[in-house]
Amino acid sequence: MAAARVNRKQYLRNLAARFALLMLAAVSLQPTLECQSEVSRTIALRVIVVGTEAEAQEILDRLHRGEDFGVLAKRKSIDPKAEDYGYLGKVDVTQLRPELQEALRGMGPNQVTRPVKVPGGVAILKVLPSSEGSVGQGMSANRDLPISARGSIRYPADVAGQVIADLAFQKYPKPSGWEQDLAAVCEARTQSLSTLELRLNKRLYGATPPTQTPVDVIQSHYALAQIEAYQGEMDRAVNEWEAAYQLALAKVPAGAAQLEAVLGVAYLHKSEMENGAYSDPGNKCIFPPGPGSKYAHPNDSAKAVEYFLKYLDKKPDDIQTQWLLNVAYMTMGQYPSGVPKQFLIPAAVFDSKEAIGRFVDVAPLAGLNVVSMANGLVADDFDNDGLLDVMISSYNLCEPLHYFHNNGDGTFTDRAREAGLINQLGGLNMIQADYNNDGCMDLLVLRGAWEFPVRKSLLRNNCDGTFTDVTREAGLAEPATRTQAAAWVDIDNDGFVDLFIGNEDGPCQLFRNRGNGTFEDISHSSGVDKIVFAKGVSAADYDNDGYVDFFVSNLYGSNLLFHNNRNGTFTEVAQKAGVQLPDSQGFASWFFDYDNDGWPDLLVNSFFFSPDESLRSYLELPHSAKTLKLFRNMRNGTFQDVTASVGLDKVYPAMGANFGDIDNDGFPDIYLGTGGPEYGFLLPKVLLRNKEGKSFADVSASAGIGDLHKGHGTAFADLRNSGYEDLLTSMGGATPGDAHAFRVFRNPGNDGNWINIKLVGVKSNRAAIGARIEVKVENQGSGTRSVFRTVTSGGSFGASPLSQHIGLGKQARIVDLAVTWPVSHTTQTFSQVDVNRFIQITELADGYKIVTPRQFHFDK
């Protein structure tokens, strides 16, 4: 079955299209209420929707000059069908809005309508010949982004409201250069929401409301509900959806079923918020629930159950609604016994086959008390005191960066204001590096992902507890782009880290570090300026030739693998290497040596906006979405897909993701922060234990990390200097109404030995990014083996420390430890290194330094 390939814009707008003001037609509310006096006429159509009449006229002019309608729809349209090259399918003209019916009157095949104003903008339609199918006009089999069918993939009800909020932002007047002014971006977001909310309230409740059909009124209630839900005003949102539902029951019964699903989700989300599941989660949203787990105030959960059952009465096979019904019963303390037998999804489906100990959230004890939307995350030592600090950004365009200084006593203090970071607003992801080799860790904040171009921020660490925004003087401010994906690495081995950025709205970028605090844009001359919807950027020397290469995951199209030609240029070799994956919807990805053979392997997460697909995977039912992919390095420039053989062939919709060693056995484990933008997208997070590089075991349930809410930036970090990596993860969603408390899952400990190594470059870059470590270790009774690590910040959504925590296994003895440096091409080898130590190794030095950092507990 063909896999779904839709990017987030398409998905969100498909959801909104049923009831929002942006609809071109009321096809979901059949039959329409207008008198259908004319004989039904079904024709195939394409559509382009843009924001203004001027844009529409420009599109029309380009069409008259011979440009392809489908290609322009793909590039310019804001309609849900943009990613299908504007293809609407065969449509009953009588069910279109009257103004569109009029525009189509008398039109024949291959003719294009005039621009027509519709609630969501200005539309242009093209009539297609009856022989033309859903493949984009002018498309051919060898295109980079061919159209594919959606299979049977189902998507959750649109309750979050981000679509309308983003379109309101886009249409709101903004000053010139707004994308470079973070305060102006915040102001536009705030005012655009208020303006739309006032307009919708006036339309519905003004002294003289405009004359509207029942369908229009339903759409207005739905749109206002989404705006309220976006802001977290669930009482108001539910009232609007209830009004829409009652009107649908009376006037358009066929449209009521979808509103039952919507109301079920809305009441469940309302119940979660009222019971503190987002602000003070504890174990309230950990799956499976513990004995006696229930909400103190479950009335809204009962309402959710009522609506889910109504919906399932009509659509009993809807698995994602069945699952949400189960979740609602959990919150009432009636799972599994209270769930109707035909809809029960047993917890055993998610059982762990083995246990590694129970992780406990200690964020409140530590003072890491952030309740926020989707976050970027970096854990590293920003003040060189031997303690790991925590940087947290937010998808909220008005929220400042958080800089949590490690106090060394089990607590953290937010020093963003003192550090000069209070004006650094927003940012979905961040990565760290010492870009100027001054010995202090700097920070890059990435913005604009999923929404609209906003400038990034390069924050120079002044080595005195403060940071300075040097983005413009460094040459990184323009153009503003939409991105969450980047990597710091030294491409030419000159001792300074360069910067690769993967964008959603334009070519990939590569900036060469000149070594004087500025960067040169070599994107075109290096050959990396390919256009993809980049969601992950990873770097490694995958062929061990001494020069680093790049992998770029693409949400809707082929992934890219750039091989370093050692002369400042790169060659794209993904297909040749076997990692292209043209229909996998690539997301967070990383290179890591999962089997410890000394060659970097590659993990590529897929991301489909459907909890149904993931649930089918757990239930061992047929699914349409592609699984993540694990590629084993074959040591000859190619990779082998080993996903199925290691037990990873399930659909995990991971947004945040990273890897670390939870049990100190030397094999990197995987954490997947599952989720999606809708309030009904609730799935437990996933922790996968690496079993000696041969297979992976799901230990999520036994580890207690299965939070049902939205996972984003993730890091593995030994915050306590205890020798065990804790799991830091942000749980917020894409709207203020989905803000969630930050989580720090404390590692319960184990009997594995370890070594923590901080590398300091001299000829190589100071932070030693790209340096390679091999630890030969002897485990009692098991002979000698090697554990390999390369200095990176981890996965591509969330950044772990650049110091390398390396598990060695039980009863371990280090035979020798070797570090190979990327610039000097030297290898330092040390023997008789004690286990369970923090050490520092400087490039070209004869010995190493033993470090004795402060250790602490979160509860003391």
Side-chain angles (χ1 to χ4, degrees):
M1 190 176 293
R5 289 173 54 253
V6 290
N7 71 5
R8 191 166 188 263
K9 178 178 73 172
Q10 177 190 7
Y11 159 71
L12 289 171
R13 290 171 187 169
N14 280 344
L15 293 172
R18 287 187 181 272
F19 294 98
L21 292 171
L22 311 176
M23 293 173 63
L24 292 177
V27 293
S28 66
L29 300 178
Q30 300 176 24
T32 55
L33 302 175
E34 290 81 2
C35 177
Q36 299 183 11
S37 58
E38 296 184 14
V39 177
S40 175
R41 178 187 172 206
T42 301
I43 57 175
L45 296 172
R46 291 187 191 275
V47 65
I48 296 173
V49 180
V50 291
T52 67
E53 293 183 10
E55 291 176 283
Q57 188 58 53
E58 178 191 352
I59 294 291
L60 198 60
D61 292 343
R62 294 174 67 169
L63 290 170
H64 290 160
R65 291 197 297 268
E67 292 196 42
D68 184 272
F69 193 100
V71 171
L72 283 173
K74 172 80 171 180
R75 294 175 179 172
K76 299 293 185 179
S77 183
I78 61 174
D79 182 74
K81 295 297 185 178
E83 296 308 319
D84 282 342
Y85 296 84
Y87 184 71
L88 284 174
K90 292 187 176 180
V91 176
D92 183 345
V93 176
T94 63
Q95 294 181 7
L96 292 173
R97 300 185 70 87
E99 58 267 40
L100 295 176
Q101 293 185 41
E102 179 61 30
L104 284 165
R105 193 181 302 276
M107 287 283 174
N110 292 317
Q111 290 186 306
V112 173
T113 69
R114 57 177 171 78
V116 182
K117 290 197 70 173
V118 293
V122 183
I124 300 172
L125 294 170
K126 179 177 180 178
V127 181
L128 303 179
S130 58
S131 60
E132 184 170 336
S134 63
V135 177
Q137 182 178 343
M139 300 297 103
S140 62
N142 63 354
R143 284 191 59 89
D144 288 337
L145 300 174
I147 296 301
S148 65
R150 295 194 202 162
S152 60
I153 289 182
R154 297 181 179 181
Y155 303 102
D158 182 19
V159 177
Q162 189 187 3
V163 175
I164 290 181
D166 283 352
L167 288 175
F169 179 95
Q170 291 169 4
K171 297 182 74 172
Y172 187 79
K174 296 176 282 292
S176 176
W178 62 269
E179 67 277 5
Q180 295 291 332
D181 184 342
L182 302 181
V185 176
C186 167
E187 176 71 11
R189 168 64 91 194
T190 303
Q191 293 302 320
S192 62
L193 286 171
S194 297
T195 300
L196 180 56
E197 186 176 14
L198 287 170
R199 182 162 62 85
L200 289 169
N201 269 298
K202 183 177 180 181
R203 174 174 293 180
L204 286 165
Y205 306 114
T208 55
T211 302
Q212 300 179 79
T213 68
V215 169
D216 287 333
V217 177
I218 290 172
Q219 293 170 357
S220 295
H221 281 299
Y222 196 102
L224 182 54
Q226 287 181 305
I227 288 295
E228 301 295 0
Y230 176 86
Q231 299 173 94
E233 300 290 346
M234 294 308 297
D235 284 331
R236 298 177 187 173
V238 163
N239 289 340
E240 296 301 327
W241 271 310
E242 286 281 13
Y245 178 60
Q246 294 303 320
L247 185 56
L249 284 176
K251 299 294 186 179
V252 198
Q258 182 66 19
L259 277 165
E260 289 167 352
V262 167
L263 277 162
V265 173
Y267 273 111
L268 179 57
H269 192 76
K270 182 172 180 283
S271 183
E272 290 180 304
M273 293 184 72
E274 289 180 350
N275 286 277
Y278 291 90
S279 58
D280 182 23
N283 291 323
K284 297 186 185 83
C285 46
I286 297 294
F287 181 84
S293 176
K294 62 178 293 186
Y295 284 178
H297 307 287
N299 290 344
D300 286 320
S301 293
K303 289 290 291 184
V305 166
E306 176 187 333
Y307 277 109
F308 287 142
L309 288 174
K310 286 182 178 180
Y311 183 78
L312 288 169
D313 185 56
K314 302 175 184 68
K315 299 187 177 182
D317 297 328
D318 190 315
I319 293 174
Q320 57 194 11
T321 303
Q322 292 178 18
W323 166 247
L324 290 174
L325 177 70
N326 281 252
V327 173
Y329 275 112
M330 290 175 208
T331 66
M332 299 165 63
Q334 298 178 25
Y335 173 86
S337 59
V339 183
K341 185 175 297 185
Q342 69 271 32
F343 299 135
L344 176 64
I345 297 179
V349 170
F350 302 88
D351 273 353
S352 299
K353 299 299 188 292
E354 54 189 66
I356 57 166
R358 190 81 174 176
F359 287 66
V360 177
D361 180 14
V362 296
L365 286 172
L368 291 164
N369 49 352
V370 173
V371 178
S372 180
M373 292 163 60
N375 305 126
L377 168 65
V378 175
D380 217 313
D381 184 358
F382 285 95
D383 54 4
N384 291 330
D385 65 354
L387 298 167
L388 294 177
D389 309 301
V390 179
M391 291 276 195
I392 302 174
S393 62
S394 176
Y395 198 47
N396 186 338
L397 297 171
C398 298
E399 183 172 339
L401 186 67
H402 298 277
Y403 170 31
F404 283 99
H405 174 261
N406 191 328
N407 299 323
D409 61 359
T411 66
F412 292 75
T413 300
D414 193 344
R415 291 188 178 175
R417 185 175 297 278
E418 295 86 342
L421 298 173
I422 200 69
N423 294 320
Q424 293 296 325
L425 308 177
L428 186 56
N429 198 14
M430 301 181 292
I431 53 172
Q432 82 277 31
D434 182 1
Y435 80 92
N436 57 359
N437 287 344
D438 65 354
C440 300
M441 199 65 67
D442 311 300
L443 188 70
L444 180 73
V445 182
L446 303 166
R447 300 187 178 92
W450 299 119
E451 294 187 311
F452 28 76
V454 184
R455 77 165 175 91
K456 57 191 72 67
S457 289
L458 177 61
L459 304 174
R460 185 187 65 209
N461 190 332
N462 299 321
C463 302
D464 61 0
T466 68
F467 293 78
T468 300
D469 188 334
V470 296
T471 318
R472 184 162 298 281
E473 62 195 71
L476 299 177
E478 294 181 349
T481 61
R482 291 174 14 190
T483 182
Q484 68 180 51
W488 291 104
V489 73
D490 186 355
I491 63 166
D492 50 7
N493 291 339
D494 67 349
F496 289 91
V497 288
D498 311 296
L499 177 62
F500 188 108
I501 296 176
N503 296 307
E504 298 175 357
D505 58 342
C508 295
Q509 296 170 295
L510 181 57
F511 295 93
R512 182 180 177 274
N513 192 330
R514 293 189 177 104
N516 62 357
T518 69
F519 292 81
E520 173 190 6
D521 187 344
I522 60 169
S523 309
H524 182 67
S525 63
S526 65
V528 306
D529 56 341
K530 309 296 185 204
I531 297 177
V532 295
F533 199 93
K535 299 309 294 181
V537 172
S538 307
D541 179 8
Y542 76 88
D543 56 354
N544 285 348
D545 68 351
Y547 286 79
V548 72
D549 313 293
F550 293 106
F551 177 82
V552 182
S553 60
N554 184 2
L555 185 63
Y556 59 106
S558 300
N559 299 317
L560 305 174
L561 179 62
F562 290 108
H563 178 259
N564 193 328
N565 299 324
R566 312 188 210 179
N567 61 1
T569 69
F570 292 77
T571 300
E572 204 288 300
V573 296
Q575 184 175 19
K576 179 180 178 182
V579 297
Q580 189 178 46
L581 296 173
D583 58 356
S584 69
Q585 293 193 204
F587 211 81
S589 57
W590 57 73
F591 285 102
F592 69 154
D593 190 355
Y594 84 94
D595 55 358
N596 278 325
D597 68 351
W599 292 76
D601 309 300
L602 178 63
L603 185 135
V604 187
N605 282 285
S606 61
F607 186 62
F608 290 79
F609 299 87
S610 173
D612 179 79
E613 288 295 299
S614 186
L615 290 163
R616 287 177 175 277
S617 186
Y618 278 108
L619 293 166
E620 299 183 352
L621 296 172
H623 56 82
S624 299
K626 293 295 182 69
T627 69
L628 61 74
K629 292 294 181 181
L630 178 62
F631 293 103
R632 184 171 183 267
N633 194 323
M634 300 306 292
R635 311 185 189 189
N636 60 1
T638 68
F639 293 80
Q640 178 186 11
D641 182 352
V642 296
T643 312
S645 64
V646 300
L648 291 179
D649 52 339
K650 285 187 176 181
V651 178
Y652 299 111
M655 296 190 295
N658 213 324
F659 64 92
D661 189 351
I662 55 174
D663 53 1
N664 281 342
D665 67 350
F667 292 92
D669 310 299
I670 297 170
Y671 173 84
L672 302 175
T674 57
E678 294 308 318
Y679 291 170
F681 206 127
L682 303 175
L683 288 172
K685 305 298 147 290
V686 179
L687 186 59
L688 301 165
R689 178 175 177 261
N690 187 336
K691 301 182 71 173
E692 299 182 346
K694 300 173 184 176
S695 65
F696 287 82
D698 189 335
V699 295
S700 314
S702 62
I705 57 84
D707 193 308
L708 292 171
H709 296 136
K710 316 303 168 58
H712 280 94
T714 297
F716 286 81
D718 182 3
L719 288 184
R720 302 163 287 165
N721 290 332
S722 63
Y724 310 113
E725 286 192 302
D726 305 306
L727 175 60
L728 288 66
T729 183
S730 58
M731 304 300 303
T735 70
D738 214 6
H740 194 286
F742 185 73
R743 295 277 206 179
V744 178
F745 288 108
R746 180 182 60 200
N747 193 315
N750 52 71
D751 55 2
N753 298 126
W754 52 273
I755 186 97
N756 190 295
I757 306 172
K758 179 180 180 180
L759 299 182
V760 179
V762 176
K763 288 189 174 181
S764 301
N765 69 89
R766 183 70 176 265
I769 293 174
R772 306 181 71 165
I773 301 169
E774 178 183 1
V775 184
K776 288 185 180 178
V777 60
E778 182 180 62
N779 299 103
Q780 187 174 3
S782 301
T784 301
R785 64 185 175 113
S786 288
V787 180
F788 295 91
R789 291 291 184 273
T790 300
V791 179
T792 70
S793 60
S796 59
F797 204 156
S800 301
L802 293 181
S803 59
Q804 296 297 298
H805 176 95
I806 303 175
L808 304 174
K810 301 176 182 178
Q811 298 177 311
R813 179 180 72 87
I814 295 177
V815 177
D816 59 55
L817 186 158
V819 180
T820 301
W821 296 88
V823 175
S824 63
H825 300 293
T826 59
T827 299
Q828 295 164 283
T829 302
F830 305 96
S831 57
Q832 298 181 342
V833 179
D834 289 336
V835 300
N836 302 343
R837 293 288 185 272
F838 292 83
I839 66 173
Q840 177 176 305
I841 299 174
T842 301
E843 186 177 13
L844 305 177
D846 293 330
Y848 61 87
K849 176 183 176 182
I850 297 176
V851 181
T852 308
R854 283 176 285 175
Q855 296 183 344
F856 58 84
H857 301 282
F858 288 121
D859 52 355
K860 293 183 180 178

